[in-house]
Amino acid sequence: MTEADAEPGNAHPVRYRDCVRRTRTAVRLTGAAVRLTRYADLASVRAARLVGAARRWGPRLPPMVWDSLLPALLLLNIMTTRAPRELPVTVALTAALALPLVWRRRAPLTVFGTVAAVAFVQWLMDVQLPADIALLVALYTTAANLGRRGTLVAGAVVEGGALLACLRWAGEGAFLTLFLAVTAMVVASAVLGVNVRTTRAYLAALEERAARLEQQQDQQARLAVAEERTRITREMHDIVTHNLSVMVALTDAAVYAQHRSPGKATTAMLQISETGRQALTDMRRSLGILRTDEPDAERHPLPGIAQLENLADQMCAAGLPTHVEVQGGHTHIPATAQLTVYRLVQEALTNTLKHTPTGTHAKVRIRCSTETVAVDVTDSGPCPPLPGATPSGHGIPGMRERAAAYGGNVQAGPLPGGGWGVHTRLFLDSSGVASA
């Protein structure tokens, strides 16, 4: 034993060297693992970027670019797996089978016929190729774009080719298994194409229905706007014509009586002011500007049969003595029907006030029942122009439109004993709403 071996600090020199060697190896392995982890992270990031780029730019690429991928892959596979002496025949057949798929969306039937013919030539030459999958792609495209008859014919052609291929290339005892497998792929391709065609037709029908519904909604909106415009025009005509006629008559009376009877002139001016305020209230209500929570809505409800007496007093003040007679209860009649009755009477009395001389009397008779409301307005004025004359203005047409909303018709004309009469009947159902 040497002195170096006998020293206490060098009792186990071999074990010490092994520990140092193992520690260094572990450090190297740890560094390599860290580097591999970094490389893997970088690869994951790059793969994620590639996937994101494919998602962004994929829909923007033309369909022909995607259809060119399969022929390119098939040609690359043939050129890398076949022997050089086989390349001319196999590359030519693969190109003839796969390249027509680039135009399969534009001419599916032509592409299918071309691929089927090339596949038959391949069978005659006894060459097996992976490019035979082009037949399934062409069958799928045919089923997705043509009808049921075209799909059945194309499926029968591919199935016949599958039978011939299995008879020639199936191994001993493997014919049935191979034929069933190929038949399953043929059926799956055809069914997938039919499902795509059905889904496409269903989506097209939904889009057409949505467009039709949108068009109908637009038409209904335009009709609603036109109807509302007509209603507002009719209301404005009735309100403005009646109140202006009354205000003109009251103004003439006030001017006539201002020197002889100042008190009557003052009364007439006050009635003019009240008539103007009532006209403004009716206009705000008809235009929808007046809100229901404002006090005016409670002080000035929609005029109805109960307000005909006030209308008669107003006409009397304007110089047209008017008598109102209401037969039957009118509390069950809805507010809209009562407003129609009021507007009909108002328009008839306004026409009488404008077109008859002083001294004319008017009479209003309202007969209410459970199902109908009859309105008669007569006056004692002279007869109007001959029946052949064309009436001007919108008074009577507006009255007919109001009555038509309740299934009625306005009859206006001279009376046998002299004067003019307006008659209409509004029809209500059992619940008190319009039947038309």
Side-chain angles (χ1 to χ4, degrees):
M1 180 179 294
T2 65
E3 294 180 358
D5 295 337
E7 291 179 0
N10 297 330
H12 303 284
V14 177
R15 294 181 182 178
Y16 176 76
R17 294 192 194 96
D18 293 341
C19 291
V20 173
R21 191 180 299 109
R22 291 171 184 173
T23 303
R24 292 176 179 175
T25 304
V27 171
R28 293 194 190 96
L29 292 176
T30 304
V34 171
R35 287 193 295 272
L36 289 176
T37 304
R38 292 178 180 176
Y39 294 153
D41 293 339
L42 291 175
S44 301
V45 172
R46 292 175 181 175
R49 291 177 180 176
L50 291 176
V51 172
R55 290 180 179 178
R56 287 193 305 269
W57 295 97
R60 303 180 184 179
L61 294 176
M64 187 173 292
V65 175
W66 294 106
D67 294 337
S68 303
L69 294 179
L70 181 60
L73 293 176
L74 292 175
L75 288 172
L76 182 62
N77 176 65
I78 286 298
M79 288 186 294
T80 56
T81 58
R82 293 302 176 99
R85 57 185 179 82
E86 299 178 356
L87 284 180
V89 176
T90 57
V91 169
L93 291 175
T94 301
L97 285 171
L99 289 180
L101 297 180
V102 177
W103 297 276
R104 64 186 182 90
R105 300 177 190 269
R106 297 183 179 181
L109 189 59
T110 303
V111 169
F112 176 80
T114 303
V115 173
V118 175
F120 183 68
V121 173
Q122 171 202 350
W123 181 82
L124 292 177
M125 296 177 63
D126 194 12
V127 178
Q128 300 185 40
L129 294 173
D132 290 335
I133 194 175
L135 273 173
L136 300 179
V137 177
L139 174 61
Y140 159 79
T141 306
T142 303
N145 292 276
L146 300 183
R148 181 181 302 177
R149 181 177 301 177
T151 303
L152 291 177
V153 172
V157 171
V158 177
E159 186 65 17
L163 178 61
L164 293 178
C166 292
L167 288 174
R168 169 165 290 185
W169 294 316
E172 185 178 356
F175 170 78
L176 183 59
T177 303
L178 182 60
F179 179 72
L180 291 178
V182 175
T183 301
M185 290 189 291
V186 172
V187 173
S189 300
V191 171
L192 185 59
V194 171
N195 288 339
V196 170
R197 186 182 74 242
T198 304
T199 303
R200 191 183 302 161
Y202 177 72
L203 293 177
L206 288 181
E207 292 178 357
E208 181 182 0
R209 181 180 179 184
R212 187 168 59 252
L213 289 177
E214 184 177 359
Q215 183 179 5
Q216 291 178 357
Q217 289 178 355
D218 293 341
Q219 292 178 353
Q220 292 176 358
R222 287 193 293 267
L223 290 176
V225 170
E227 183 179 357
E228 184 66 14
R229 185 180 301 163
T230 303
R231 184 193 68 80
I232 294 176
T233 303
R234 188 168 57 241
E235 288 289 330
M236 291 299 101
H237 172 268
D238 293 345
I239 293 171
V240 173
T241 303
H242 168 73
N243 289 285
L244 284 182
S245 299
V246 172
M247 292 172 70
V248 169
L250 290 173
T251 302
D252 293 340
V255 171
Y256 179 79
Q258 63 179 346
H259 298 295
R260 299 182 181 181
S261 180
K264 292 183 178 179
T266 302
T267 302
M269 296 300 293
L270 291 176
Q271 289 178 348
I272 292 173
S273 177
E274 180 63 26
T275 302
R277 283 193 290 269
Q278 182 63 38
L280 290 176
T281 301
D282 292 341
M283 289 178 66
R284 287 197 303 267
R285 184 188 298 111
S286 299
L287 294 174
I289 300 176
L290 184 63
R291 296 193 302 250
T292 57
D293 56 350
E294 291 187 3
D296 285 345
E298 299 178 359
R299 292 200 302 265
H300 302 284
L302 289 175
I305 297 177
Q307 282 72 38
L308 289 178
E309 292 291 342
N310 298 333
L311 179 63
D313 296 339
Q314 191 180 46
M315 301 305 296
C316 291
L320 178 64
T322 304
H323 174 70
V324 177
E325 178 183 352
V326 180
Q327 300 177 358
H330 60 273
T331 56
H332 68 283
I333 301 176
T336 54
Q338 292 198 36
L339 176 62
T340 301
V341 173
Y342 183 89
R343 295 301 186 201
L344 291 174
V345 175
Q346 184 185 54
E347 180 63 27
L349 293 178
T350 301
N351 291 336
T352 301
L353 179 64
K354 291 194 302 182
H355 302 296
T356 57
T358 304
T360 302
H361 292 75
K363 183 177 181 179
V364 179
R365 178 180 296 176
I366 309 296
R367 295 188 299 273
C368 304
S369 64
T370 306
E371 299 179 354
T372 62
V373 179
V375 180
D376 290 287
V377 181
T378 59
D379 62 65
S380 60
C383 293
L386 296 176
T390 303
S392 60
H394 303 279
I396 293 180
M399 296 169 67
R400 288 197 175 99
E401 291 177 1
R402 290 183 181 277
Y406 289 87
N409 187 23
V410 175
Q411 300 176 0
L415 299 176
W420 186 267
V422 175
H423 170 78
T424 185
R425 184 183 299 271
L426 309 181
F427 295 92
L428 310 173
D429 58 15
S430 58
S431 60
V433 297
S435 60

